[in-house]
Amino acid sequence: MMQKQTKIHKESAHSHMVKLVSTASLHETVGDVLLRLQDPKSQYECVDYTYVLRADGVLDGVVSIKQLLNSKSGVKISKLMTRKLMVVHQHSDQEHVANVALNGNIKCVPVVDKHHHLLGVVPSDIILSILKWEHTEDMLRLSGIHGGGTTYRDISHVSSFKMGLLRIPSILVGLVGGMLATSVVNYYEVSLEKNLILAFFIPLIVYMNDAVGTQTETILVRLLGTEKVSIWKYFLRELGTGFFMGLVVGFLAFSITLVWHNEAILAATIGLSLLIGVTSATVTAIAVPYTLFLLKKDPAISGGPFTTVLQDIFSLMIYFTVASLILH
Amino acid sequence: MKKNIPEKHGKSHAETALSHMVKRVSTASLHETVGDILKRLQNGKATFDTVDYTFVLHHDQRIAGVVSIKELLHANDSVRVADIMHTKVRTVHPSTDQERVAFIALRENIKAVPVVDKDHKFLGVVPSDTILNILEWEHTEDLLRFSGVRGRGEKLRNFVKSGVFSMSKARLPSILIGVLGGLFATSVVEFFEKSLEEELVLAFFIPVMLYICAAVGTQTGTILVRTLATEEVKIHKYVIRELLIGSIIAALVGGLMFCVVFFWFKSHLVALTIGISLLIGVMTATLIGVFVPLTLFKFKKDPAVSGGPFINILQDILTLVIYFSVASVILL
């Protein structure tokens, strides 16, 4: 299980767990445990599972409330319990906690220290909320809105001013990148003067490559968030998909441009630039989030300004290079 | 609940409350005591799918209240269940969309959501582990739809694992619409050929202009789509906030670009063109980012569809028209 490690301090399993949990020792019976559960003095915060501890406090197994109720009161807990336990450590990221609950199909996730002593559990309502926060975070980060901690928990109640502050940084990064793109076009001023028609296609080229890149990036962020992935396998598949889509898009644009402007060389320039551009977009859209992932940052951060504007610059360079090779 | 979340179109029946519902749930009548219920729960003959909640029913099967297993265990056996139950119970119908079920569980902070028929008779519950899974599936779907990947249900959820050709097939339709939109954008620029011939410098700023407006539009759209899905909001208040933020960003970006271009190209007219175009463009992007998802929502379509390429290319075309119109007025 790959695990995001951006928020270890604030949003760990430890900060979400409740401590008053039903526990039992190995020699006890179902009746003993149910008696204790029914004692009004034992104010358990979570009764969904009873955790079975060895004499030295090490977590050994788990019994659900359903199992307890469905068993005869004389049955020994050690006979009933499930020993294959899904646990998280106190410093585990909250997203990891939610993934463990999802993959293990369990309602509550037990939290243990490094000696496997039970510290508490993250209850089901919190897990549900964590999942919601993490999803909001994914979506907003992908669109270049960078808050931390509790910002994402209640997006409709963030003030205008604060929301503005969260959105502006990525726009400013985009602005700097956009100026670089301006200077790329500026650099090819002479080609543009000779063939003004090249300028007409700038929006098409930039748009198409971004659209494909955004798809690639979204799929990757989702993969990194939920499952073990072989990045090379994904990379090769994405490269194949990018190339195939590039062929389709390039050929379509080539045909339409040819019919429209009646210039084979221009049509070839557009078609070839799109083929190379769309393929390269998949590479950029994997390289940037994956680099962030390796640096233990949230890969979703790459969405919004950075990857897109970087791809814009590449797209323009590819376009004008192809144009100068073919048209001159 | 005043606001109605539209049910997503194009969902199969497999994505409703009914398909996720379990029927063997603990129920009780109003006159019973906690002890009666616990005894029944412990009777090995009655196996329940879930024991998290016991639903207290009237004679005609309507829900009178609900009590959790924790509350049952903590109460004295002789207490009447009617005295400890919660009477405000949020229910869904068999045809309710699965995403709605999950968000009701979230908002109401309940583990299992009860399903009732049109006469309010109790049918069963959607249990907590299912709700967790639904939330995860719907998130995958929303993200993919937002990036212009087509598909629905199971197929879309497993999409991230599919091969080159099925992947291309799901992604190409929106991309091909993009090609047509992009070619239309080409003709917009062509329309302003005269302006470009006189001021070639205008061409240099096409990428940055498109980029900034699209970026602001995406931010606005994402926030709205997420808010519509998860929160109960007053739309008016929300729209005003978004427009306010859009104006602040528009003024900031426009002003900043005016300065940068002025010092770089030493032409106050070019700088003014860029600054004013960005100001208007970003404002337009905000309006589109707010009103397109809202319209889809009103017409009971999934607002996440608005994130797709269609809205982006529409924004690009508008940006170009704004840019060259402003340029014609100021420069020529």
Side-chain angles (χ1 to χ4, degrees):
Chain A
M1 176 64 54
M2 287 183 160
Q3 176 184 343
K4 281 189 203 170
Q5 310 208 308
T6 41
K7 296 150 301 184
I8 284 166
H9 309 294
K10 271 179 290 180
E11 314 207 24
S12 61
H14 191 264
S15 65
H16 291 303
M17 75 183 189
V18 296
K19 288 177 187 163
L20 286 172
V21 186
S22 166
T23 54
S25 34
L26 282 161
H27 60 82
E28 285 184 296
T29 63
V30 168
D32 297 335
V33 177
L34 278 176
L35 209 61
R36 198 163 47 233
L37 279 172
Q38 287 182 62
D39 184 351
K41 270 175 277 167
S42 60
Q43 289 292 326
Y44 294 122
E45 290 171 282
C46 175
V47 298
D48 299 325
Y49 295 98
T50 295
Y51 295 92
V52 188
L53 308 179
R54 287 201 323 229
D56 56 2
V58 168
L59 181 59
D60 203 27
V62 64
V63 205
S64 73
I65 183 76
K66 203 161 97 181
Q67 281 175 300
L68 286 175
L69 290 171
N70 281 340
S71 306
K72 295 223 158 57
S73 56
V75 174
K76 280 192 102 182
I77 288 293
S78 54
K79 289 271 185 298
L80 194 62
M81 70 184 189
T82 313
R83 301 199 62 167
K84 252 187 100 185
L85 264 174
M86 309 280 284
V87 296
V88 296
H89 290 271
Q90 50 188 329
H91 300 299
S92 294
D93 184 88
Q94 61 174 13
E95 187 170 29
H96 179 61
V97 177
N99 276 331
V100 167
L102 270 171
N103 295 335
N105 237 343
I106 48 176
K107 295 193 184 85
C108 310
V109 180
V111 185
V112 296
D113 66 12
K114 60 176 188 283
H115 304 297
H116 221 67
H117 290 147
L118 182 70
L119 298 172
V121 303
V122 181
S124 59
D125 50 341
I126 305 270
I127 292 173
L128 207 59
S129 300
I130 290 174
L131 210 58
K132 181 189 149 195
W133 300 330
E134 291 291 331
H135 290 171
T136 304
E137 186 181 272
D138 270 1
M139 287 195 83
L140 295 190
R141 285 205 171 150
L142 268 173
S143 77
I145 302 166
H146 298 271
T150 56
T151 320
Y152 300 118
R153 292 190 189 171
D154 204 357
I155 42 169
S156 61
H157 291 105
V158 178
S159 71
S160 309
F161 181 69
K162 193 158 176 226
M163 190 52 104
L165 285 184
L166 295 178
R167 287 170 57 174
I168 288 170
S170 79
I171 298 289
L172 292 184
V173 172
L175 213 60
V176 174
M179 292 315 292
L180 277 171
T182 304
S183 57
V184 171
V185 187
N186 195 0
Y187 180 80
Y188 291 100
E189 191 174 0
V190 182
S191 312
L192 264 183
E193 265 171 8
K194 269 193 230 162
N195 293 292
L196 191 62
I197 200 165
L198 286 177
F200 306 164
F201 291 89
I202 293 176
L204 172 73
I205 301 276
V206 168
Y207 173 79
M208 289 322 303
N209 298 350
D210 284 348
V212 173
T214 303
Q215 289 183 340
T216 305
E217 200 182 346
T218 306
I219 297 163
L220 179 68
V221 165
R222 198 69 205 124
L223 274 174
L224 291 177
T226 52
E227 300 171 63
K228 259 188 201 160
V229 278
S230 150
I231 191 71
W232 286 109
K233 209 177 132 198
Y234 177 67
F235 179 75
L236 289 177
R237 191 187 62 185
E238 214 24 60
L239 204 61
T241 309
F243 184 73
F244 179 68
M245 294 207 294
L247 275 179
V248 177
V249 168
F251 181 73
L252 187 70
F254 168 82
S255 314
I256 296 178
T257 310
L258 187 64
V259 174
W260 188 1
H261 289 275
N262 214 8
E263 271 184 75
I265 294 177
L266 177 73
T269 305
I270 304 301
L272 199 59
S273 302
L274 278 173
L275 171 62
I276 301 173
V278 165
T279 313
S280 78
T282 59
V283 178
T284 315
I286 290 175
V288 177
Y290 193 65
T291 308
L292 283 170
F293 181 74
L294 290 180
L295 296 172
K296 303 204 190 285
K297 302 262 183 211
D298 184 352
I301 287 176
S302 64
F306 197 64
T307 313
T308 311
V309 90
L310 196 67
Q311 183 55 43
D312 281 0
I313 295 168
F314 289 154
S315 306
L316 290 167
M317 287 165 79
I318 291 167
Y319 177 44
F320 283 108
T321 309
V322 170
S324 29
L325 289 178
I326 294 188
L327 288 173
H328 293 241
Chain B
M1 199 163 292
K2 273 171 252 150
K3 189 168 62 100
N4 279 314
I5 308 273
E7 310 209 342
K8 281 188 189 176
H9 279 232
K11 292 249 171 166
S12 64
H13 293 297
E15 315 241 315
T16 60
L18 183 65
S19 64
H20 295 299
M21 180 181 90
V22 295
K23 286 181 188 161
R24 288 179 304 179
V25 183
S26 164
T27 56
S29 34
L30 278 163
H31 60 80
E32 285 186 294
T33 64
V34 168
D36 296 335
I37 299 171
L38 282 177
K39 207 184 282 171
R40 194 164 48 234
L41 284 174
Q42 287 178 62
N43 178 358
K45 273 173 261 163
T47 47
F48 294 104
D49 293 314
T50 168
V51 296
D52 295 339
Y53 290 96
T54 296
F55 291 90
V56 186
L57 306 180
H58 290 292
H59 288 301
D60 57 2
Q61 298 291 303
R62 281 184 304 116
I63 297 177
V66 65
V67 57
S68 74
I69 182 74
K70 195 161 98 183
E71 287 159 342
L72 285 175
L73 289 170
H74 287 171
N76 277 323
D77 277 4
S78 56
V79 172
R80 267 165 45 110
V81 68
D83 295 330
I84 57 164
M85 71 185 186
H86 302 270
T87 50
K88 269 184 128 181
V89 185
R90 188 78 185 89
T91 58
V92 295
H93 291 284
S95 60
T96 305
D97 184 87
Q98 60 176 12
E99 183 170 31
R100 176 112 199 260
V101 176
F103 282 128
I104 284 170
L106 262 175
R107 282 180 197 146
E108 310 283 317
N109 213 358
I110 48 177
K111 294 195 184 91
V113 180
V115 185
V116 297
D117 69 11
K118 60 180 189 299
D119 300 320
H120 303 285
K121 284 183 183 151
F122 180 74
L123 297 171
V125 300
V126 180
S128 60
D129 46 345
T130 310
I131 288 172
L132 209 59
N133 280 315
I134 292 173
L135 212 59
E136 187 71 2
W137 296 332
E138 291 292 333
H139 178 53
T140 304
E141 280 192 27
D142 275 358
L143 274 182
L144 292 177
R145 288 228 176 102
F146 213 72
S147 74
V149 177
R150 302 232 309 189
R152 63 180 59 145
E154 192 88 28
K155 216 173 152 194
L156 187 58
R157 291 198 281 277
N158 291 324
F159 168 77
V160 287
K161 294 177 204 146
S162 53
V164 169
F165 282 99
S166 49
M167 191 164 256
S168 304
K169 221 176 106 188
R171 288 164 62 170
L172 268 174
S174 72
I175 296 291
L176 293 182
I177 293 175
V179 175
L180 299 180
L183 284 165
F184 186 74
T186 305
S187 63
V188 172
V189 184
E190 194 176 4
F191 182 77
F192 292 101
E193 189 174 1
K194 280 269 177 309
S195 318
L196 266 182
E197 266 171 11
E198 280 176 48
E199 283 289 348
L200 190 63
V201 68
L202 288 177
F204 307 163
F205 290 95
I206 293 175
V208 67
M209 199 65 77
L210 295 177
Y211 175 79
I212 297 289
C213 295
V216 174
T218 304
Q219 286 186 339
T220 311
T222 307
I223 296 172
L224 189 58
V225 166
R226 191 66 188 154
T227 308
L228 288 177
T230 60
E231 321 263 335
E232 299 276 334
V233 283
K234 288 200 182 83
I235 302 279
H236 298 288
K237 206 179 136 196
Y238 176 82
V239 168
I240 291 169
R241 188 192 79 174
E242 273 311 301
L243 296 181
L244 196 66
I245 297 171
S247 318
I248 295 171
I249 295 179
L252 187 86
V253 168
L256 202 65
M257 275 299 275
F258 171 81
C259 301
V260 172
V261 176
F262 183 71
F263 284 107
W264 189 355
F265 288 89
K266 307 274 181 243
S267 156
H268 65 279
L269 283 182
V270 172
L272 205 61
T273 305
I274 305 297
I276 291 178
S277 304
L278 267 177
L279 184 75
I280 302 175
V282 169
M283 283 302 298
T284 314
T286 305
L287 286 173
I288 291 183
V290 168
F291 288 108
V292 172
L294 267 186
T295 311
L296 285 168
F297 186 71
K298 279 258 146 65
F299 287 98
K300 300 189 187 286
K301 300 262 180 201
D302 185 358
V305 175
S306 66
F310 180 69
I311 190 75
N312 281 334
I313 195 67
L314 192 73
Q315 178 61 50
D316 279 1
I317 291 166
L318 271 175
T319 306
L320 289 170
V321 172
I322 292 167
Y323 179 40
F324 283 106
S325 306
V326 170
S328 318
V329 172
I330 294 185
L331 286 175
L332 311 169

